[in-house]
């Protein structure tokens, strides 16, 4: 009896394609991704896992050595996908986890250039998004369970014989897609977010947008608690120095930041404010690395690079559309200092911080320049 080779059909063959043709869409982010540590914040390759727990919420993120963990710059792909899905549904169009698009559509929407290098960087981002493995109990339903997935199930590019890329396809995981089509789990973000070049800076904006929203009193966090929520490998004192520098620049669109002194240490107050309706007022200065005594990297060896290094070559100097800050119906209360925003009644919990490893952003190749 001859053996038969088992052929597994592509997931795309079972899904109707959502062809992206809506043009500009208001940037939208998924709430769960905004408040928990799902991405590396560094610009050098990271393979050390993220292990975070607050109450019954647990997030684990694992990377493979070949590609490294998906970064907060790679997450722009997911923001773009969420934006297109919500926009299409607003227009009454049918959507799917299977997206078909041109790289030009994606790159221009998130403020990237469209040269050959940028297409190559996009493919690197897709590889990291696919190879990064997430395990989480978020949205576990009536019965406790842990969901495991990657940010992209599969992807493919369509190219001509001379190598010119004409189109791309990828399949989003069901966990992410369900979190987007549920409108209560999506928030509009300021387009100026894409101009923020620091990893911690980008992460802090998402935390501000999720928790502070447009509440007059804003939101209050202990710096130590912010460090825990970030999943950063930086030492706490270096991370705190990063935050103070961001406060001094006031570069988060739509928010004002203040450092206050509490009984148990420094606090950050995040207040809504109309800072601008165009590009970020000041370009993010390349202040070097994150707070190490000899200005090396944030919590890593001196040879690596940390999230603040400028990537302005990836952000064209074009006007950015008007601010879109809508109310956050789930954040109409202040966070007690020292408590987790995931579970305000529970004591602060400290995740495991494994050995430091470098990480790779959307706009950088291993061992190469930006």
């Amino acid at each position: 009896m001859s053996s038969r080779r088992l052929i597994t059909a592509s997931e795309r063959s079972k899904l109707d394609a959502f062809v992206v043709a809506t043009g500009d869409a208001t940037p939208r982010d998924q709430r769960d991704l905004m408040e928990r540590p799902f991405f590396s914040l560094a610009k050098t390759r990271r393979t050390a896992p993220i292990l975070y727990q607050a109450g019954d919420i647990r997030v684990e993120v694992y990377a493979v050595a070949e590609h490294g963990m998906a970064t907060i710059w790679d997450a722009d792909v997911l923001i773009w996908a969420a934006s297109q899905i919500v926009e299409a549904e607003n227009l009454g169009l049918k959507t799917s986890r299977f997206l078909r698009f041109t790289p030009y559509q994606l790159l221009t929407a998130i403020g990237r250039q469209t040269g050959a290098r940028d297409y190559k960087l996009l493919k690197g981002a897709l590889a990291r998004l696919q190879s990064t493995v997430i395990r989480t109990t978020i949205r576990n339903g009536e019965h406790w369970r842990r969901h495991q997935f990657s940010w992209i199930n599969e992807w493919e590019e369509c190219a001509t014989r001379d190598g010119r890329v004409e189109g791309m396809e990828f399949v989003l995981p069901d966990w992410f897609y369900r979190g987007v089509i549920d409108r209560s789990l999506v928030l509009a973000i300021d387009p100026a977010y894409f101009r923020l070049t620091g990893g911690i800076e980008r992460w802090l904006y998402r935390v501000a947008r999720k928790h502070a929203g447009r509440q007059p009193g804003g939101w209050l966090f202990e710096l130590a608690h912010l460090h825990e929520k970030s999943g950063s490998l930086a030492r706490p004192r270096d991370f705190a120095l990063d935050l103070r520098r961001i406060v001094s620049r006031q570069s988060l669109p739509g928010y004002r930041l203040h450092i206050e002194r509490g009984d148990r240490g420094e606090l950050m107050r995040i207040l809504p404010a109309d800072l601008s309706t165009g590009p970020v007022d000041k370009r993010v200065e390349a202040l070097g690395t994150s707070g190490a005594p000899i200005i090396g990297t944030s919590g890593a060896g001196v040879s690596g690079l940390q999230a603040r290094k400028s990537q302005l070559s990836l952000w064209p100097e074009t006007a950015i559309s008007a601010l879109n800050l809508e109310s956050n119906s789930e954040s109409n209360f202040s966070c007690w200092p020292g408590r987790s925003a995931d579970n305000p009644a529970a004591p602060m919990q400290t995740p495991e911080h494994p050995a430091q490893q470098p990480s790779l952003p959307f706009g950088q190749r291993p061992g190469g320049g930006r």
Side-chain angles (χ1 to χ4, degrees):
M1 185 179 192
S2 61
S3 61
R4 231 175 179 185
R5 184 178 179 183
L6 179 63
I7 299 176
T8 304
S10 167
E11 188 175 7
R12 287 170 294 170
S13 66
K14 305 174 185 178
L15 297 169
D16 293 328
F18 164 40
V19 180
V20 175
T22 56
D24 294 336
T26 300
R28 292 175 173 91
D29 208 346
Q30 208 281 324
R31 286 176 183 264
D32 296 316
L33 275 60
M34 298 170 79
E35 67 170 310
R36 281 118 182 177
F38 281 104
F39 301 98
S40 169
L41 306 184
K43 287 186 177 178
T44 46
R45 181 179 299 178
R46 172 173 176 168
T47 57
I50 294 174
L51 303 172
Y52 171 82
Q53 184 160 0
D56 61 350
I57 296 296
R58 184 166 179 82
V59 173
E60 302 173 8
V61 185
Y62 298 94
V64 298
E66 181 181 0
H67 300 292
M69 184 179 294
T71 72
I72 199 163
W73 293 271
D74 300 338
D76 288 357
V77 173
L78 300 177
I79 293 175
W80 174 82
S83 307
Q84 294 298 328
I85 290 169
V86 172
E87 186 71 16
E89 294 206 336
N90 286 344
L91 296 174
L93 303 176
K94 184 178 179 181
T95 63
S96 166
R97 295 189 293 118
F98 173 21
L99 276 71
R100 182 175 289 157
F101 59 97
T102 67
Y104 180 86
Q105 289 174 307
L106 192 161
L107 291 170
T108 55
I110 61 176
R112 308 294 171 99
Q113 296 178 4
T114 56
R117 178 175 180 270
D118 302 280
Y119 284 84
K120 184 176 181 179
L121 294 175
L122 172 58
K123 289 188 283 186
L126 294 174
R128 285 188 292 277
L129 290 166
Q130 184 182 24
S131 63
T132 298
V133 175
I134 300 92
R135 297 175 187 165
T136 183
T137 59
I138 298 172
R139 288 187 265 128
N140 55 19
E142 180 181 356
H143 303 288
W144 190 97
R145 67 179 184 273
R146 182 174 299 173
H147 201 110
Q148 179 169 315
F149 57 92
S150 294
W151 293 121
I152 289 178
N153 290 3
E154 57 176 291
W155 66 278
E156 188 174 11
E157 63 177 350
C158 305
T160 60
R161 289 184 177 180
D162 61 1
R164 184 167 56 89
V165 178
E166 291 188 327
M168 278 187 170
E169 302 173 348
F170 61 60
V171 178
L172 297 168
D174 184 64
W175 184 91
F176 178 78
Y177 182 70
R178 285 188 286 110
V180 171
I181 60 176
D182 182 345
R183 208 59 60 87
S184 67
L185 297 178
V186 177
L187 284 175
I189 62 172
D190 194 320
Y193 166 80
F194 295 119
R195 293 181 58 84
L196 298 177
T197 59
I200 293 176
E201 196 165 34
R202 282 174 153 240
W203 167 82
L204 186 60
Y205 171 80
R206 298 172 88 184
V207 169
R209 179 66 186 95
K210 168 62 178 67
H211 290 290
R214 298 186 65 179
Q215 301 171 93
W219 202 271
L220 190 65
F221 279 111
E222 282 187 349
L223 298 196
H225 182 49
L226 285 173
H227 179 261
E228 176 186 342
K229 282 177 68 68
S230 73
S232 171
L233 292 174
R235 294 172 296 182
R237 66 179 182 180
D238 296 338
F239 184 85
L241 181 56
D242 277 334
L243 295 183
R244 293 188 205 104
R245 287 170 168 170
I246 294 171
V247 170
S248 69
R249 293 198 300 270
Q250 292 294 338
S251 53
L252 295 196
Y255 292 95
R256 288 285 183 186
L257 308 175
H258 303 276
I259 296 293
E260 302 177 5
R261 177 66 61 175
D263 294 336
R264 297 198 300 175
E266 288 182 302
L267 309 169
M268 175 178 285
R269 184 175 296 279
I270 304 172
L271 295 168
D274 294 328
L275 295 184
S276 76
T277 55
V280 176
D281 293 338
K282 303 175 185 176
R283 47 192 289 159
V284 180
E285 298 176 12
L287 293 177
T289 55
S290 242
I294 53 175
I295 316 223
T297 63
S298 183
V302 178
S303 61
L305 294 173
Q306 186 60 17
R308 181 172 294 102
K309 186 73 174 181
S310 174
Q311 270 193 321
L312 292 177
S313 62
L314 293 180
W315 316 110
E317 298 297 329
T318 57
I320 294 177
S321 56
L323 218 59
N324 186 340
L325 294 177
E326 57 195 36
S327 295
N328 184 347
S329 60
E330 292 185 358
S331 295
N332 293 323
F333 55 91
S334 293
C335 178
W336 290 100
R339 303 292 184 182
S340 167
D342 298 313
N343 186 0
M348 185 185 302
Q349 301 193 25
T350 304
E352 301 176 41
H353 291 283
Q356 299 159 3
Q357 295 286 342
S359 167
L360 185 69
F362 192 144
Q364 184 181 359
R365 298 184 300 274
R370 287 178 178 73

